[in-house]
Amino acid sequence: MKLTNVYTHGEQKNDSTFEMLCIPMIAFNHLVFKTVAQQLSFTKASEVLFISQPAVSKHIRHLEEYYRVKLFDRSGNAITLTEAGKILYQHLLTAEAISKQVEFDLNAIQHKNHLRGELKLGASTTVALYILPPVLSAFRKQHPDVKVSLVNRNSENVLKALLNNEIDLAITEGKDNMHIASSLYFLTDEVVPVCSAKSNLAKKTQYTLEEILHQPIALRERGSGTLAAIKAALQTKDVKLSQLKVCMRLGGTEALKNFLLADDCLGFLPMKSVAKELMYGDLVRLFVDELTITRQFYFTQRRGEENSGLNASFIRFAQQYYNQKL
């Protein structure tokens, strides 16, 4: 569906981007407001929407005149939503969710096995780099008319993106217990201690936990699901994360892996992320007596949207894909 007469005179638009941004059942001035509310910046909203900043201001002004309320408070260069703005924003999020569901349901009647629409995914590093790529490739081949985007952040920030309505579906490490989100089990992975094949640590592969406490260790950044799994496993042995001799913290699995390949310290990484390096002998897996670190990956959705069309379809597809691989 195309929306017409929504650009001010003289505005240039990128057609493909414009079509992607258009949401049936939501007028363009509401879309402009929603974008400003998410970006909290007229300038950034104009860049996202490919229209000028004066055009953004004009749409917001028209809305404020129509509703006879102020939607944003302005203080210097900073803007915040007013109480009325917050109410309008929440209603627009609901309208957007309904619009997506209507499009999916009506399309499903006409084409039972032919999905259409847009699916915004967010995933923690391990999932985005090592688990989802083959799933996304298979999903695209089966459903070429579904536009899929994927953002890669640590588990904590992926959840924030979900709750801020930046994405439709999150795949995170660990089950979220917040009342505004619901989680569904996906699969389990193991986190293993590894070191470079050139490290002195590689001279033997079996260690006691006490020995590990005296070795230099590199870890992921705070907020990482991998780090949370390590912390939980150590707690079962009455060991605190602070007792480890941490020499380096790195943001991202690849950064940590590349550091370990060049250094002589020990690190903990997901098995799926180091499978090739272990196979080729660049890294060596170490074993710590009675210490097993596993973490579960979950599909996380906003409550009330668990049965939304594309979310449910992708979840079923991903689960079936990995069940077939087991």
Side-chain angles (χ1 to χ4, degrees):
M1 175 182 285
K2 289 188 177 181
L3 301 182
T4 58
N5 301 322
V6 295
Y7 279 79
T8 57
H9 180 69
E11 284 295 324
Q12 299 295 315
K13 64 180 183 294
N14 178 308
D15 288 335
S16 62
T17 303
F18 177 64
E19 289 180 6
M20 178 183 71
L21 290 169
C22 290
I23 302 170
M25 298 171 61
I26 299 180
F28 188 71
N29 55 3
H30 285 102
L31 179 59
V32 172
F33 164 78
K34 176 175 170 285
T35 306
V36 175
Q38 289 175 330
Q39 301 293 329
L40 289 179
S41 166
F42 282 64
T43 301
K44 290 180 180 178
S46 70
E47 293 171 354
V48 170
L49 295 167
F50 287 89
I51 62 176
S52 68
Q53 187 172 331
V56 171
S57 299
K58 183 176 181 180
H59 283 294
I60 298 302
R61 186 170 66 254
H62 285 172
L63 272 181
E64 291 181 327
E65 290 172 355
Y66 178 79
Y67 288 118
R68 299 180 183 179
V69 293
K70 194 176 180 181
L71 298 173
F72 292 100
D73 282 324
R74 299 163 178 81
S75 177
N77 294 326
I79 63 170
T80 56
L81 283 167
T82 63
E83 200 61 38
K86 292 177 183 178
I87 292 173
L88 177 58
Y89 180 67
Q90 290 302 319
H91 281 303
L92 288 178
L93 293 180
T94 301
E96 182 179 4
I98 293 172
S99 178
K100 288 182 178 180
Q101 188 63 41
V102 168
E103 182 180 10
F104 179 87
D105 290 343
L106 294 182
N107 179 70
I109 292 174
Q110 187 176 6
H111 308 286
K112 292 184 178 180
N113 296 315
H114 188 79
L115 302 181
R116 295 185 62 184
E118 182 181 4
L119 179 62
K120 298 177 182 178
L121 301 173
S124 56
T125 305
T126 301
V127 180
L129 293 181
Y130 311 108
I131 295 175
L132 279 186
V135 179
L136 293 176
S137 176
F139 187 79
R140 183 191 67 82
K141 291 171 183 175
Q142 187 166 326
H143 305 292
D145 290 329
V146 176
K147 296 178 181 178
V148 181
S149 59
L150 171 65
V151 296
N152 171 17
R153 303 174 187 174
N154 68 31
S155 293
E156 184 178 307
N157 289 323
V158 168
L159 182 59
K160 287 180 181 178
L162 178 71
L163 300 183
N164 289 335
N165 287 271
E166 298 171 24
I167 57 177
D168 304 312
L169 176 64
I171 303 97
T172 58
E173 301 163 33
K175 186 175 183 179
D176 180 73
N177 294 316
M178 297 178 65
H179 72 280
I180 53 178
S182 63
S183 300
L184 179 67
Y185 173 76
F186 180 22
L187 51 79
T188 297
D189 188 27
E190 186 177 7
V191 177
V192 296
V194 295
C195 69
S196 168
K198 300 175 184 178
S199 170
N200 288 329
L201 289 167
K203 292 179 179 179
K204 67 173 187 174
T205 58
Q206 195 72 37
Y207 286 84
T208 65
L209 185 54
E210 181 64 28
E211 287 176 313
I212 291 297
L213 295 180
H214 298 288
Q215 301 299 329
I217 294 177
L219 295 175
R220 285 283 307 277
E221 80 286 4
R222 291 178 176 84
S224 156
T226 302
L227 187 65
I230 297 168
K231 181 179 179 180
L234 289 174
Q235 284 177 340
T236 65
K237 303 300 179 184
D238 296 320
V239 174
K240 295 180 180 179
L241 203 61
S242 59
Q243 292 177 248
L244 297 180
K245 190 178 177 182
V246 179
C247 66
M248 182 69 64
R249 286 184 182 271
L250 295 105
T253 300
E254 286 297 303
L256 177 54
K257 180 167 67 176
N258 288 328
F259 174 79
L260 292 174
L261 286 167
D263 202 79
D264 60 357
C265 73
L266 176 151
F268 293 89
L269 283 168
M271 175 62 85
K272 286 181 168 54
S273 72
V274 293
K276 289 183 180 178
E277 287 77 13
L278 293 176
M279 181 174 65
Y280 292 126
D282 298 318
L283 289 176
V284 174
R285 178 179 178 178
L286 306 179
F287 295 86
V288 182
D289 293 346
E290 299 182 356
L291 182 68
T292 301
I293 307 172
T294 60
R295 75 278 183 68
Q296 287 72 45
F297 296 110
Y298 289 84
F299 294 106
T300 305
Q301 304 171 79
R302 293 179 290 271
R303 288 200 181 276
E305 299 180 16
E306 291 89 346
N307 295 318
S308 64
L310 281 178
N311 279 11
S313 296
F314 182 79
I315 288 172
R316 284 196 301 270
F317 186 92
Q319 288 175 325
Q320 290 171 3
Y321 180 92
Y322 271 101
N323 284 338
Q324 291 170 358
K325 295 294 180 182
L326 297 178

